[in-house]
Short mmCIF file of all heavy atoms in Angstrom, two decimals:
data_model
loop_
_atom_site.label_atom_id
_atom_site.label_comp_id
_atom_site.label_asym_id
_atom_site.label_seq_id
_atom_site.Cartn_x
_atom_site.Cartn_y
_atom_site.Cartn_z
N GLU A 126 -19.08 4.61 -16.68
CA GLU A 126 -19.17 6.01 -17.07
C GLU A 126 -19.36 6.14 -18.58
O GLU A 126 -20.19 6.92 -19.06
CB GLU A 126 -17.90 6.75 -16.65
CG GLU A 126 -17.91 7.23 -15.24
CD GLU A 126 -16.69 8.11 -14.96
OE1 GLU A 126 -16.32 8.93 -15.82
OE2 GLU A 126 -16.13 7.94 -13.89
N LYS A 127 -18.59 5.39 -19.34
CA LYS A 127 -18.71 5.43 -20.80
C LYS A 127 -20.09 5.01 -21.27
O LYS A 127 -20.66 5.60 -22.17
CB LYS A 127 -17.63 4.57 -21.46
CG LYS A 127 -16.25 5.14 -21.37
CD LYS A 127 -15.24 4.24 -22.04
CE LYS A 127 -13.83 4.77 -21.87
NZ LYS A 127 -12.81 3.86 -22.46
N ALA A 128 -20.62 3.96 -20.61
CA ALA A 128 -21.96 3.50 -20.98
C ALA A 128 -23.00 4.56 -20.65
O ALA A 128 -23.92 4.80 -21.45
CB ALA A 128 -22.28 2.19 -20.25
N GLY A 129 -22.86 5.20 -19.52
CA GLY A 129 -23.78 6.27 -19.15
C GLY A 129 -23.73 7.43 -20.09
O GLY A 129 -24.76 8.02 -20.47
N GLU A 130 -22.53 7.82 -20.47
CA GLU A 130 -22.38 8.93 -21.45
C GLU A 130 -22.98 8.55 -22.80
O GLU A 130 -23.64 9.37 -23.46
CB GLU A 130 -20.91 9.29 -21.61
CG GLU A 130 -20.33 9.97 -20.40
CD GLU A 130 -18.83 10.20 -20.54
OE1 GLU A 130 -18.26 9.93 -21.64
OE2 GLU A 130 -18.20 10.66 -19.57
N SER A 131 -22.82 7.31 -23.20
CA SER A 131 -23.38 6.85 -24.46
C SER A 131 -24.91 6.91 -24.43
O SER A 131 -25.54 7.36 -25.39
CB SER A 131 -22.89 5.42 -24.75
OG SER A 131 -23.54 4.91 -25.88
N ILE A 132 -25.47 6.45 -23.35
CA ILE A 132 -26.93 6.49 -23.21
C ILE A 132 -27.44 7.94 -23.19
O ILE A 132 -28.44 8.27 -23.82
CB ILE A 132 -27.39 5.73 -21.93
CG1 ILE A 132 -27.12 4.23 -22.09
CG2 ILE A 132 -28.84 5.99 -21.61
CD1 ILE A 132 -27.30 3.44 -20.82
N LYS A 133 -26.71 8.79 -22.48
CA LYS A 133 -27.08 10.20 -22.41
C LYS A 133 -27.02 10.86 -23.79
O LYS A 133 -27.94 11.57 -24.18
CB LYS A 133 -26.16 10.91 -21.44
CG LYS A 133 -26.48 12.37 -21.18
CD LYS A 133 -25.49 12.95 -20.18
CE LYS A 133 -25.77 14.41 -19.96
NZ LYS A 133 -24.78 14.99 -18.98
N ASN A 134 -25.96 10.55 -24.52
CA ASN A 134 -25.84 11.12 -25.88
C ASN A 134 -26.92 10.62 -26.81
O ASN A 134 -27.47 11.37 -27.60
CB ASN A 134 -24.45 10.82 -26.46
CG ASN A 134 -23.37 11.58 -25.75
OD1 ASN A 134 -23.61 12.61 -25.11
ND2 ASN A 134 -22.14 11.06 -25.85
N SER A 135 -27.23 9.32 -26.72
CA SER A 135 -28.28 8.76 -27.60
C SER A 135 -29.65 9.35 -27.21
O SER A 135 -30.49 9.59 -28.09
CB SER A 135 -28.30 7.25 -27.53
OG SER A 135 -28.69 6.81 -26.27
N ALA A 136 -29.89 9.60 -25.91
CA ALA A 136 -31.15 10.20 -25.50
C ALA A 136 -31.26 11.64 -25.99
O ALA A 136 -32.32 12.10 -26.42
CB ALA A 136 -31.28 10.17 -23.98
N GLN A 137 -30.14 12.36 -26.00
CA GLN A 137 -30.16 13.72 -26.52
C GLN A 137 -30.37 13.72 -28.01
O GLN A 137 -31.07 14.63 -28.52
CB GLN A 137 -28.83 14.44 -26.15
CG GLN A 137 -28.71 14.77 -24.69
CD GLN A 137 -27.34 15.38 -24.37
OE1 GLN A 137 -26.45 15.39 -25.20
NE2 GLN A 137 -27.22 15.86 -23.12
#
Side-chain angles (χ1 to χ4, degrees):
E126 276 186 42
K127 287 180 184 178
E130 289 174 6
S131 174
I132 292 171
K133 184 178 177 182
N134 290 338
S135 66
Q137 289 176 350

